[in-house]
Amino acid sequence: DEDPARLVKMFECESRTVSALRNATSDDKRFDMVVLDGSTPYVMGQIMNSILNVPRYRVDFLHEFNLFLTWSNKPRTENWQRNFLERYRKDVLHDPITRVEFKIKVGEETMEMGLVSCGDLAIFHNVNILEKKINKRLKREGKVAEIEVINLTGGLFPYNFNYDPKEFLQSDYDSAPGDKQFAEQQPLGREVIFQFELEEEIDIAEMPNWEGITHIVQAALSILKYSATRFDTYTDVGDGGLLLSEFKEGNLVLVWDGRRHIDINLFLFDDEKELADSFASKFILFAENKLKVALRDDFPRGLGRVVNFKSDLEYKGFDSLPERKPYVE
């Protein structure tokens, strides 16, 4: 149990501290920084916590944008500074408020610096700058030291209970520029970027070699009845190879990294998705199902800032879509 006489002394000390703070502040003069260094006694931390727990005192004595900083040379045995900052953070409760803990090692000594920043919207940027400046200062003084942020805790999102958003309809926006671009674009083909990778359970030793990869491409193009007018391969760049192929229906560029990964850039003047699907399935089939499509991106290519495929130009409204499916599952 607390000693009653000690509690009376603490209450009297708190009253004197409140009076001193009142005399030192006014409507246009409030504290924007409070420092509790290693010489600050624990009882003073208790008194300050009691004062800050009163919302009116926080308004009267502290600037809207304020900073509390603590310093401890014994972070393992003294934790009241850390608790003090955490209680202040919870008293303010809502963002923008952030508590940050720094661990500073100088030789064999470990120190802890803590701060609570209230009202700083750029706190993450400023903490990063502070960390760099302290490191720079310690190095300039020839200290073997390092500083690290070990904890960063924010507040609650300031929920607006009176938020009444305005809902906008499509008719509220000017669709003329978009309609004009939609009508004037001229799709001329489909470009597809495939990334093939070896199946995870298959050993890299079973990856097709360069000769095998070229045969797989030739077989996939042949089954689609694409007759190559150009088919060049290069193996003097990197660990894998480069393949270029041109045909009347489009062109293809393949890059192998010499290990588990193959990139293919396929362009076809016929922009039907099924043709690109067929090429990918045939490529995997002729690779004996050792490869899988790790990533695929489809792009319309053409004139007039084209952003749609030919089939999209038949769009007559959302309800006119027969199947509401994405291009790539």
Side-chain angles (χ1 to χ4, degrees), residues 89-90 92-99 153-158:
R89 183 188 70 85
K90 291 182 177 179
V92 178
L93 192 58
H94 291 96
D95 278 333
I97 185 165
T98 309
R99 183 172 74 88
T153 309
L156 297 180
F157 182 78

Side-chain angles (χ1 to χ4, degrees), residues 212-318:
I213 292 173
T214 57
H215 288 160
I216 292 171
V217 173
Q218 289 173 326
L221 294 178
S222 176
I223 203 74
L224 295 174
K225 296 181 169 46
Y226 295 157
S227 299
T229 58
R230 176 186 178 186
F231 196 91
D232 298 330
T233 62
Y234 304 87
T235 57
D236 56 349
V237 180
D239 297 328
L242 170 68
L243 184 153
L244 305 174
S245 179
E246 293 181 354
F247 36 91
K248 183 178 70 173
E249 294 82 3
N251 56 66
L252 177 148
V253 179
L254 178 147
V255 177
W256 177 43
D257 68 354
R259 292 175 288 278
R260 307 178 65 95
H261 189 93
I262 294 175
D263 291 322
I264 294 181
N265 186 328
L266 175 68
F267 171 77
L268 299 173
F269 286 107
D270 188 334
D271 70 354
E272 290 296 323
K273 176 178 176 288
E274 289 71 21
L275 286 174
D277 293 344
S278 181
F279 172 82
S281 62
K282 296 297 187 293
F283 188 86
I284 293 174
L285 176 64
F286 291 127
E288 300 177 347
N289 294 313
K290 295 178 181 178
L291 300 175
K292 65 178 180 179
V293 177
L295 186 67
R296 171 177 172 172
D297 290 306
D298 289 52
F299 307 95
R301 293 292 181 245
L303 306 175
R305 296 184 298 156
V306 62
V307 294
N308 295 99
F309 298 104
K310 290 179 183 177
S311 58
D312 298 332
L313 301 184
E314 303 172 0
Y315 176 71
K316 302 297 181 182
F318 188 74

Side-chain angles (χ1 to χ4, degrees), residues 13-24:
C13 182
E14 179 176 333
S15 299
R16 291 194 298 271
T17 303
V18 170
S19 298
L21 291 172
R22 287 196 187 283
N23 294 332

Side-chain angles (χ1 to χ4, degrees), residues 42-295:
Y42 169 56
V43 67
M44 193 64 216
Q46 290 179 299
I47 291 172
M48 284 299 299
N49 174 71
S50 177
I51 294 173
L52 294 173
N53 194 44
V54 180
R56 179 168 57 86
Y57 288 162
R58 295 200 300 270
V59 173
D60 291 346
F61 302 149
L62 299 177
H63 192 276
E64 180 183 1
F65 304 101
N66 59 75
L67 179 72
F68 276 75
L69 188 144
T70 64
W71 180 275
S72 174
N73 294 322
K74 303 174 182 177
R76 294 182 180 179
T77 58
E78 290 183 355
N79 59 8
W80 71 263
Q81 296 97 331
R82 196 180 308 135
N83 294 336
F84 169 79
L85 292 179
E86 179 63 11
R87 289 193 177 188
Y88 177 56
R89 183 188 70 85
K90 291 182 177 179
D91 285 339
V92 178
L93 192 58
H94 291 96
D95 278 333
I97 185 165
T98 309
R99 183 172 74 88
V100 187
E101 289 179 29
F102 294 90
K103 182 173 72 174
I104 304 174
K105 291 193 68 176
V106 181
E108 298 298 323
E109 298 293 327
T110 300
M111 291 155 280
E112 184 177 297
M113 182 178 74
L115 64 86
V116 168
S117 173
C118 183
D120 187 356
L121 297 176
I123 182 63
F124 299 103
H125 173 70
N126 291 331
V127 166
N128 185 41
I129 291 177
L130 176 62
E131 185 178 4
K132 290 179 179 178
K133 285 186 175 181
I134 294 176
N135 267 318
K136 185 177 179 180
R137 177 66 178 270
L138 291 172
K139 289 179 181 179
R140 191 170 64 200
E141 296 185 0
K143 304 289 186 182
V144 180
E146 61 181 34
I147 179 171
E148 177 186 9
V149 175
I150 59 174
N151 185 32
L152 194 150
T153 309
L156 297 180
F157 182 78
Y159 186 79
N160 185 358
F161 291 92
N162 298 317
Y163 182 59
D164 184 21
K166 175 178 173 60
E167 295 185 3
F168 293 91
L169 303 175
Q170 181 62 36
S171 58
D172 294 327
Y173 298 90
D174 182 10
S175 62
D179 293 341
K180 183 174 182 293
Q181 183 272 333
F182 182 81
E184 293 180 349
Q185 63 179 328
Q186 299 178 46
L188 300 177
R190 175 186 291 260
E191 181 179 11
V192 188
I193 309 296
F194 293 106
Q195 292 188 26
F196 293 96
E197 290 185 351
L198 200 63
E199 291 281 3
E200 294 179 3
E201 66 274 10
I202 297 179
D203 189 85
I204 192 171
E206 298 187 49
M207 180 73 180
N209 60 20
W210 181 241
E211 183 179 358
I213 292 173
T214 57
H215 288 160
I216 292 171
V217 173
Q218 289 173 326
L221 294 178
S222 176
I223 203 74
L224 295 174
K225 296 181 169 46
Y226 295 157
S227 299
T229 58
R230 176 186 178 186
F231 196 91
D232 298 330
T233 62
Y234 304 87
T235 57
D236 56 349
V237 180
D239 297 328
L242 170 68
L243 184 153
L244 305 174
S245 179
E246 293 181 354
F247 36 91
K248 183 178 70 173
E249 294 82 3
N251 56 66
L252 177 148
V253 179
L254 178 147
V255 177
W256 177 43
D257 68 354
R259 292 175 288 278
R260 307 178 65 95
H261 189 93
I262 294 175
D263 291 322
I264 294 181
N265 186 328
L266 175 68
F267 171 77
L268 299 173
F269 286 107
D270 188 334
D271 70 354
E272 290 296 323
K273 176 178 176 288
E274 289 71 21
L275 286 174
D277 293 344
S278 181
F279 172 82
S281 62
K282 296 297 187 293
F283 188 86
I284 293 174
L285 176 64
F286 291 127
E288 300 177 347
N289 294 313
K290 295 178 181 178
L291 300 175
K292 65 178 180 179
V293 177
L295 186 67

